[in-house]
């Protein structure tokens, strides 16, 4: 798998980055590497920052839309999650070295990893703008989690807690059904796929669950053109400077 990835190269390290094959984008004033994703590990110091695990999304990112019964007013309200599909994981070892692993169609299915963030700054600006306009998502306050980015009820406005929506052992979440009605419940979710021109580093929380392999099997999926792009694949520049 190949792809372009922008790097955070400090000025003092530009010659080193260049010698390894990084290229300069004069328009964005940023270094990038274009090549096999298995080479990303060579550029890890300019990708990973302080992260122990870095997630680099390939080709698509996703919005997963569902309906949750509001615990306060009892009405059905829209809720969304985010999704990561194929991606590369960059691990930082204890000795400071890096290794990478690419998760693609390894086991015969296309996985979707349900994701979310507690801090809205971790969502690329164009995507954040879109979901804030379309859904009742914003930074709110929950008694258990404190200040966090979260879904809120369309009707009464109460926060729909992140643990409640996204943890696998949470009861009654729209996103992670189980039991005999699993297939039926998954078919009521909608997945919107957003094509990305360049690979993206995402600080999104995701866990691995039993349903990872089932979302694309049972949920209807639709392509979404994310403004300000008018193309099915949004560029890094449009994603970060809308
Ligand atoms: Zn409500």
């Amino acid at each position: 798998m190949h792809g372009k990835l922008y790097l955070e190269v400090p000025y003092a390290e530009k010659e080193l980055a260049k010698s390894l094959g990084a290229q300069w984008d004069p328009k964005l004033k940023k270094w990038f590497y274009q090549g096999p994703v298995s080479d990303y590990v060579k550029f890890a110091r300019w990708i990973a920052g302080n992260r122990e695990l870095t997630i680099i999304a390939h080709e698509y990112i996703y919005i997963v839309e569902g309906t949750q019964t509001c615990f306060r007013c009892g009405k059905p309200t829209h809720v969304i999650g985010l999704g990561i599909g194929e991606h590369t994981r960059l691990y930082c070892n204890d000795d400071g070295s890096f290794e990478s692993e690419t998760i693609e169609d390894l086991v015969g299915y296309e996985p979707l990893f349900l994701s979310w963030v507690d801090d809205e700054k971790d969502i690329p600006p164009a995507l954040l703008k879109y979901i804030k306009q379309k859904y009742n998502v914003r930074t709110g306050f929950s008694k258990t989690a404190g200040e966090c980015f979260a879904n809120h009820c369309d009707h009464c406005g109460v926060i729909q807690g992140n643990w409640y929506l996204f943890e696998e052992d949470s009861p009654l979440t729209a996103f992670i059904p189980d039991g005999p009605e699993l297939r039926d419940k998954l078919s009521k979710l909608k997945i919107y796929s957003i094509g990305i021109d360049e690979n993206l580093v995402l600080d999104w929380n995701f866990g691995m669950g039993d349903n990872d392999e089932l979302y694309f099997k049972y949920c209807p999926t639709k392509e979404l053109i994310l403004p300000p792009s008018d193309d099915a694949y949004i560029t890094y520049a449009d994603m970060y400077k809308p």
Side-chain angles (χ1 to χ4, degrees), residues 38-62:
S38 54
D39 277 356
Y40 285 1
V41 71
K42 288 198 286 184
F43 301 90
R45 59 191 291 169
W46 303 303
I47 300 168
N50 296 322
R51 303 175 189 93
E52 280 173 25
L53 167 65
T54 309
I55 302 296
I56 305 161
H58 303 315
E59 208 170 350
Y60 292 100
I61 53 177
Y62 304 92

Side-chain angles (χ1 to χ4, degrees), residues 24-112:
W24 177 246
D25 179 334
K27 223 168 155 188
L28 280 180
K29 298 190 167 42
K30 248 179 141 50
W31 290 90
F32 67 89
Y33 175 69
Q34 183 142 27
V37 297
S38 54
D39 277 356
Y40 285 1
V41 71
K42 288 198 286 184
F43 301 90
R45 59 191 291 169
W46 303 303
I47 300 168
N50 296 322
R51 303 175 189 93
E52 280 173 25
L53 167 65
T54 309
I55 302 296
I56 305 161
H58 303 315
E59 208 170 350
Y60 292 100
I61 53 177
Y62 304 92
I63 298 170
V64 185
E65 183 188 297
T67 306
Q68 186 76 28
T69 303
C70 173
F71 67 90
R72 183 182 281 170
C73 72
K75 292 180 185 161
T77 178
H78 288 104
V79 283
I80 57 161
L82 300 168
I84 293 171
E86 295 187 352
H87 64 276
T88 293
R89 296 176 189 174
L90 213 52
Y91 298 96
C92 183
N93 298 318
D94 290 342
D95 64 2
S97 65
F98 289 91
E99 52 192 290
S100 76
E101 177 189 21
T102 295
I103 313 294
E104 36 185 342
D105 198 9
L106 287 175
V107 270
Y109 65 85
E110 202 181 337
L112 183 136

